Amino acid sequence: MQNRTPRIPEQPAPNHPELDARFTDELAAVLTGARRRALRDGDRQIDTAHLLHSLIEADPEVREAFDGGPRLAKVLGYLVQRSIGYGLRWQGSVEDSGAVPVVRDPAADGWSPSALAALDDALYRAASRGEDRAAGLDLLAALAADAESRAVEVLTRGGVDARWLADRVAGVLAAEESRRG
């Protein structure tokens, strides 16, 4: 009989206050949740699917962006399957969609190149609206924009068109901005 419990790495991905400080408190909590999830799942790096899973669990605005329960439930189903060792098989491999060259920045320790690209894109999206810190919807749009990421694979398998989701989030953020301004 085979034990299906994944091997847990000895050390979690380190917290980096300099990275977390560029995000809202809520999004910094999502990053911490993604770190914990990767550790618990026995994955070598925090990838975009870890970010998506933590983001959906923690942020009500992100859940609303899916426009209905059935889509969201199916996406969560794939993410849960992954975390218990079934379904999508990525454990032990590094996610690299090619969105950003592999870097050796100490703040990048424990993050897949695709996850780092999504975090950078979220910061860019927030800055383009004049915000100092990125929020959950910024990260959701960034995750949906990388067609080669694991997050987009999960979305696609869950019946969510990533381009539709990115456009929907952009519309929500634009409406929010117009209400403020």
Side-chain angles (χ1 to χ4, degrees):
M1 183 160 58
Q2 212 173 29
N3 182 359
R4 294 191 185 268
T5 304
R7 181 188 64 76
I8 305 295
E10 293 178 20
Q11 295 292 321
N15 285 339
H16 292 286
E18 66 276 9
L19 180 65
D20 292 354
R22 301 183 307 179
F23 301 100
T24 62
D25 292 342
E26 295 81 9
L27 191 50
V30 166
L31 302 184
T32 299
R35 285 182 189 100
R36 271 192 238 114
R37 184 169 303 289
L39 176 64
R40 186 182 62 235
D41 291 353
D43 292 331
R44 290 177 38 201
Q45 292 187 323
I46 304 157
D47 65 25
T48 58
H50 293 120
L51 288 171
L52 180 63
H53 199 161
S54 292
L55 192 57
I56 289 171
E57 284 182 339
D59 193 325
E61 286 184 322
V62 165
R63 290 190 298 273
E64 284 179 33
F66 281 85
D67 192 32
R71 287 183 186 139
L72 184 58
K74 195 168 179 185
V75 168
L76 275 171
Y78 277 106
L79 290 165
V80 168
Q81 283 180 1
R82 176 188 188 223
S83 70
I84 62 173
Y86 297 103
L88 306 174
R89 301 273 181 200
W90 296 314
Q91 188 175 11
S93 65
V94 173
E95 174 188 36
D96 184 6
S97 67
V100 67
V102 176
V103 293
R104 298 288 178 234
D105 179 359
D109 287 345
W111 295 91
S112 76
S114 297
L116 285 173
L119 294 172
D120 285 341
D121 189 19
L123 291 166
Y124 174 81
R125 289 167 187 272
S128 71
R129 291 192 324 277
E131 299 290 331
D132 293 333
R133 296 167 26 170
L137 288 175
D138 295 311
L139 181 56
L140 181 60
L143 290 170
D146 184 355
E148 301 299 317
S149 72
R150 291 177 179 171
V152 168
E153 184 177 343
V154 168
L155 290 170
T156 301
R157 288 180 181 224
V160 176
D161 180 87
R163 186 168 290 157
W164 168 84
L165 184 60
D167 290 345
R168 182 164 165 77
V169 170
V172 168
L173 290 171
E176 227 175 70
E177 191 173 338
S178 70
R179 270 183 264 144
R180 278 187 271 149

